[in-house]
């Protein structure tokens, strides 16, 4: 008999104290992550550890860890000497502002947070729990990607997560928080989730990095320019929220969750109304210039209409000609979709189409009524837009509004020309209630363009073409550049004095609280992607 075993036998069974002590030691080891040196290296990059992030994100003392002892069983490439209980991710559940979430937080201090078979199994378990329990799932990403030493086991583990992301889509909110590298195919789990958060300067997302790009296309680009928070929040639209640092980013996650239901069977969380439902701000009456070419800031209107301080913008830096975000009306959560006339006159281009359509679909999936404030001169002209597929992108907005069965209330603020009028939550797409302000102009196109087409020849032969043009433009404007034609046709339910809008929206929302609408039976539609 081996002498060690003999010695243990002589000692007899371990006492309860010893067993508990042993467990405490193991816990300590697990919680120490990759150790002080690697934690220091992490801090020196302006990054927190996986557990520090959980401490900040979750309500104090609510985190319950699961699978902390899971350890990989691979041996190739010296992996038998690189085992750490819990592997490179911390998983579990906890509360955010009193509401439960499931969570996975990658630990860069262990093997660079690399995603191996066990990490995949741990994340999958947290996702399964989230789906079964009907609570949001949050992934905090900080990883070198697929664990190279585990080869196809690592790829399979990723794929299992992608599959779960897709199954959970539209059932529970899924949030990705990028707080370090997220490269290669690893980006597709965040890419499948509802919202992506990034921390400025310390997070990067890309399919192929600067080196590969240089080899393949010859382009020279650095990490930040290629896939930093600024690039993804303003250019690609991949990221919805950016925090100045990790702490600010995690606070944004907490804030967003306050607007979201836990799952698609629940209403969004209402709060006791704190603002006067009858608040009528007379400044609204004059905020839209009567000169159709003068701009104004739609965000001022949004702040005045919704509960004070409640507007939480999504995609703030992307496609700024459109505005989307969550707000509250008399305590109820709503999704706000609007144009921003200050940016490109509020025209709808490819990016704005994607931004609006995706947001409308999220709201519809999660029982959030949609309030649309429409003011657009139309779709963006140009070869780039046409060849970029504005037809199929713009169609997404029509599709999203048409299939949305949540309460839909639209206020036409000013311009509604052509197809763009139809797509912005019009009656035809089954908006429940459509209002218009007196400044509304609904027509096939703007007066100047219409006159050129209708009276081109007449103007050429006119004695004083400019005078004649001005007269015809005014005539067209008087006829079509008012909301009264649309109201007479029944396309607009009422014309509002702008200051009345807040109480009228609250009343409409109350009416539609229990709205029931269904779509024709189908497996799923075929939204033009
Ligand atoms: C195994 C990895 C790893 C990986 C990093 N590490 N990435 N181990 N698999 N993918 C290890 C490093 O070897 C190192 O271990 C430790 O993590 C810390 O990494 P450093 O390089 O020292 O850190 P840093 O300088 O901050 O650089 C971080 C990094 C770099 C930029 C992420 O590590 C890197 O380029 N990693 C590889 C990225 C990559 O190409 N991944 C595959 C992407 S493709 P030691 O022990 O030496 O400290 C992919 C496909 C997914 O993910 C497909 C899904 C379908």
């Amino acid at each position: 008999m081996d002498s060690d075993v003999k010695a243990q036998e002589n000692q007899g069974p371990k006492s309860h104290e010893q067993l508990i002590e042993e467990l405490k030691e193991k816990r300590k080891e697990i919680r120490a992550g990759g150790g002080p040196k690697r934690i220091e290296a992490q801090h020196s990059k302006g990054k927190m550890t996986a557990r520090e992030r959980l401490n900040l994100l979750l309500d104090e003392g609510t985190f319950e860890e699961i699978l902390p002892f899971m350890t990989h069983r691979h041996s190739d490439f010296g992996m038998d000497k690189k085992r750490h209980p819990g592997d490179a991710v911390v998983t579990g559940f906890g509360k955010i502002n009193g509401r439960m979430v499931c969570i996975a937080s990658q630990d860069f201090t262990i093997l660079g947070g690399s995603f191996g078979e066990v990490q995949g199994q741990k994340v999958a378990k947290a996702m399964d729990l989230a789906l079964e329990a009907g609570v949001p799932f949050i992934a905090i990403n900080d990883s070198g990607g697929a664990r190279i030493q585990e080869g196809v086991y690592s790829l399979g583990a990723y794929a299992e997560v992608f599959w779960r992301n897709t199954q959970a889509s539209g059932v529970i909110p899924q949030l990705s928080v990028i707080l370090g590298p997220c490269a290669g195919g690893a980006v597709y789990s965040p890419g499948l989730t509802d919202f992506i958060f990034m921390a400025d300067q310390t997070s990067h997302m890309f399919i192929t990095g600067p080196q590969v790009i240089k080899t393949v296309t010859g382009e020279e680009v650095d990490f930040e320019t290629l896939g930093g928070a600024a690039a993804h929040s303003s250019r690609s639209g991949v990221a919805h929220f950016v925090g100045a640092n990790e702490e600010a980013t995690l606070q944004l996650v907490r804030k967003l969750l306050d607007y979201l239901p836990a799952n698609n069977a629940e209403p969004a969380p209402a709060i006791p109304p704190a603002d006067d439902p009858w608040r009528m701000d007379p400044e609204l009456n004059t905020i839209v210039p009567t000169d159709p070419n003068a701009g104004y800031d739609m965000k001022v209107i949004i702040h005045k209409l919704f509960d004070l301080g409640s507007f939480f913008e999504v995609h703030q830096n992307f496609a700024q000609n459109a505005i989307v975000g969550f707000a509250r009306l008399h305590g109820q959560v709503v999704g706000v979709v609007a144009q921003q006339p200050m940016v490109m006159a509020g025209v709808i281009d490819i990016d704005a189409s994607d931004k609006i359509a995706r947001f409308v679909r999220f709201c519809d999936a999660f029982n959030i009524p949609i309030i649309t404030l429409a003011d657009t001169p139309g779709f963006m002209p140009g070869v780039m837009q046409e060849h970029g597929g504005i037809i199929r992108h713009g169609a997404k907005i029509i599709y999203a509004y048409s299939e949305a069965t949540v309460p839909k209330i639209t206020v036409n603020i000013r311009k509604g020309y052509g197809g763009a009028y139809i797509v912005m939550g019009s009656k035809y797409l089954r908006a429940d209630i459509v209002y218009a302000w007196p400044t509304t102009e609904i027509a096939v196109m703007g007066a100047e363009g219409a006159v050129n087409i209708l009276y081109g020849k007449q103007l050429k032969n006119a004695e004083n073409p400019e005078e004649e043009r001005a007269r015809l433009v005014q005539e067209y404007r008087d006829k079509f550049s008012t909301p009264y034609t649309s109201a007479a046709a029944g396309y607009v339910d009422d014309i509002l004095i702008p200051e009345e809008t807040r109480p009228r929206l609250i009343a409409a929302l109350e009416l539609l609280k229990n709205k029931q609408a269904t779509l024709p039976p189908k497996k799923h539609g075929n939204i033009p992607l």
Side-chain angles (χ1 to χ4, degrees):
M1 196 181 278
D2 182 293
S3 59
D4 277 358
V5 177
K6 250 191 201 162
Q8 216 181 348
E9 271 186 359
N10 292 341
Q11 282 170 12
K14 288 177 187 165
S15 67
H16 290 106
E17 287 75 16
Q18 279 173 314
L19 288 170
I20 289 171
E21 212 37 58
E22 191 177 72
L23 173 58
K24 282 184 179 168
E25 277 306 309
K26 282 186 192 295
R27 280 186 174 175
K28 223 192 250 172
E29 185 197 348
I30 292 166
R31 287 173 189 172
K37 263 199 183 156
R38 286 183 193 270
I39 290 175
E40 204 183 299
Q42 180 83 344
H43 287 164
S44 72
K45 292 180 202 157
K47 302 200 305 180
M48 288 185 271
T49 66
R51 287 171 193 277
E52 286 166 346
R53 289 165 179 160
L54 291 176
N55 284 343
L56 265 181
L57 179 60
L58 300 173
D59 297 349
E60 201 180 337
T62 62
F63 181 55
E64 298 286 334
E65 189 164 357
I66 52 166
L67 300 174
F69 294 98
M70 260 189 109
T71 311
H72 76 76
R73 291 173 284 272
H74 292 268
S75 308
D76 295 333
F77 306 104
M79 286 302 281
D80 47 341
K81 293 177 194 70
K82 291 184 175 175
R83 293 207 173 111
H84 190 282
D87 209 275
V89 68
V90 183
T91 51
F93 53 93
K95 288 185 178 175
I96 291 182
N97 292 327
R99 299 164 71 221
M100 207 48 107
V101 298
C102 286
I103 195 155
S105 180
Q106 291 184 314
D107 188 344
F108 194 84
T109 68
I110 298 172
L111 288 162
S114 54
F115 198 101
E117 190 181 21
V118 160
Q119 172 160 181
Q121 288 165 345
K122 288 184 67 175
V123 174
K125 173 69 185 171
M127 295 178 80
D128 291 345
L129 280 175
L131 198 56
E132 280 161 19
V135 302
F137 176 71
I138 303 171
I140 301 179
N141 293 255
D142 183 7
S143 163
R147 184 169 294 164
I148 296 158
Q149 300 92 326
E150 293 189 27
V152 72
Y153 293 99
S154 161
L155 299 184
Y158 261 129
E160 285 291 331
V161 169
F162 300 165
W163 183 82
R164 281 171 174 79
N165 284 133
T166 309
Q167 299 301 302
S169 180
V171 185
I172 51 171
Q174 298 181 82
L175 276 49
S176 299
V177 192
I178 317 298
L179 298 181
C182 181
V187 296
Y188 283 116
S189 175
L192 286 163
T193 60
D194 297 303
F195 296 105
I196 296 181
F197 297 73
M198 290 182 82
D200 197 25
Q201 303 299 322
T202 54
S203 62
H204 300 109
M205 293 181 84
F206 41 76
I207 299 277
T208 50
Q211 266 178 329
V212 176
I213 289 181
K214 190 170 178 202
T215 314
V216 176
T217 70
E219 293 163 294
E220 290 202 30
V221 66
D222 59 66
F223 279 88
E224 191 59 30
T225 312
L226 178 66
H232 283 309
S233 63
S234 61
R235 299 291 298 276
S236 73
V238 165
H240 301 83
F241 300 96
V242 178
N245 50 39
E246 291 200 3
E247 189 174 350
T249 309
L250 294 169
Q251 287 310 317
L252 287 172
V253 176
R254 286 178 64 89
K255 187 165 178 187
L256 176 65
L257 281 168
D258 281 348
Y259 291 88
L260 308 186
N263 57 62
N264 65 344
E266 276 190 8
I271 56 169
D275 193 5
D276 178 7
W278 290 100
R279 179 165 49 78
M280 292 201 237
D281 189 333
E283 275 180 41
L284 286 170
N285 295 339
T286 54
I287 204 161
V288 178
T290 48
D291 171 2
N293 296 322
Y296 64 93
D297 188 354
M298 183 68 89
K299 286 192 190 167
V300 175
I301 295 182
I302 291 173
H303 287 292
K304 287 180 187 295
L305 290 184
F306 297 93
D307 293 358
L308 284 175
S310 72
F311 182 57
F312 184 44
E313 193 170 357
V314 175
H315 259 154
Q316 192 173 14
N317 304 326
F318 175 65
Q320 291 174 320
N321 38 330
I323 301 171
V324 300
F326 300 102
R328 289 182 185 277
L329 253 186
H330 203 42
Q332 305 288 326
V333 175
V334 292
V336 181
V337 179
Q339 265 80 37
Q340 175 54 286
M342 302 251 287
V343 179
M344 293 154 64
V347 74
I348 302 177
D349 61 356
I350 289 171
D351 286 348
S353 300
D354 285 357
K355 172 171 167 174
I356 291 172
R358 186 158 170 79
F359 183 74
V360 165
R361 294 192 100 215
F362 178 84
C363 290
D364 185 48
F366 289 101
N367 312 317
I368 298 173
I370 299 160
I371 312 274
T372 303
L373 306 175
D375 178 358
T376 181
F379 284 103
M380 176 87 165
V383 177
M384 290 269 280
Q385 290 288 312
E386 295 292 346
H387 289 182
I390 185 79
I391 295 174
R392 96 191 131 79
H393 291 285
K396 293 176 196 175
I397 312 183
I398 304 180
Y399 198 105
Y401 271 109
S402 300
E403 74 171 351
T405 54
V406 289
K408 295 181 282 193
I409 305 166
T410 298
V411 185
N412 287 297
I413 302 286
R414 187 165 63 173
K415 291 173 193 164
Y417 295 156
Y421 151 65
I422 297 171
V423 308
M424 287 303 293
S426 66
K427 256 286 163 71
Y428 322 100
L429 307 188
R430 303 301 184 265
D432 300 289
I433 296 194
V434 175
Y435 291 129
W437 283 10
T439 36
T440 297
E441 308 172 8
I442 295 175
V444 172
M445 59 174 66
E448 308 273 348
V451 164
N452 283 342
I453 292 170
L454 291 177
Y455 304 109
K457 276 191 200 134
Q458 184 179 323
L459 283 170
K460 246 190 215 163
N461 301 329
E463 219 170 86
N464 189 337
E466 280 321 301
E467 214 171 85
E468 181 65 356
R469 178 191 303 278
R471 188 188 67 75
L472 290 167
V473 164
Q474 194 53 48
E475 188 181 275
Y476 186 92
R477 220 169 244 151
D478 290 344
K479 181 144 185 59
F480 284 114
S481 301
T482 80
Y484 294 102
T485 317
S486 307
Y491 302 142
V492 164
D493 290 297
D494 200 3
I495 300 165
L496 309 182
I497 300 171
E499 66 178 359
E500 298 168 344
T501 308
R502 176 174 161 80
R504 298 290 290 265
L505 286 176
I506 291 172
L509 197 61
E510 190 179 348
L511 165 76
L512 297 165
K513 205 171 172 187
N514 299 316
K515 176 187 172 186
Q516 296 284 337
T518 49
L519 298 171
K522 55 176 114 174
K523 186 173 177 194
H524 60 70
N526 189 14
I527 187 166
L529 297 172

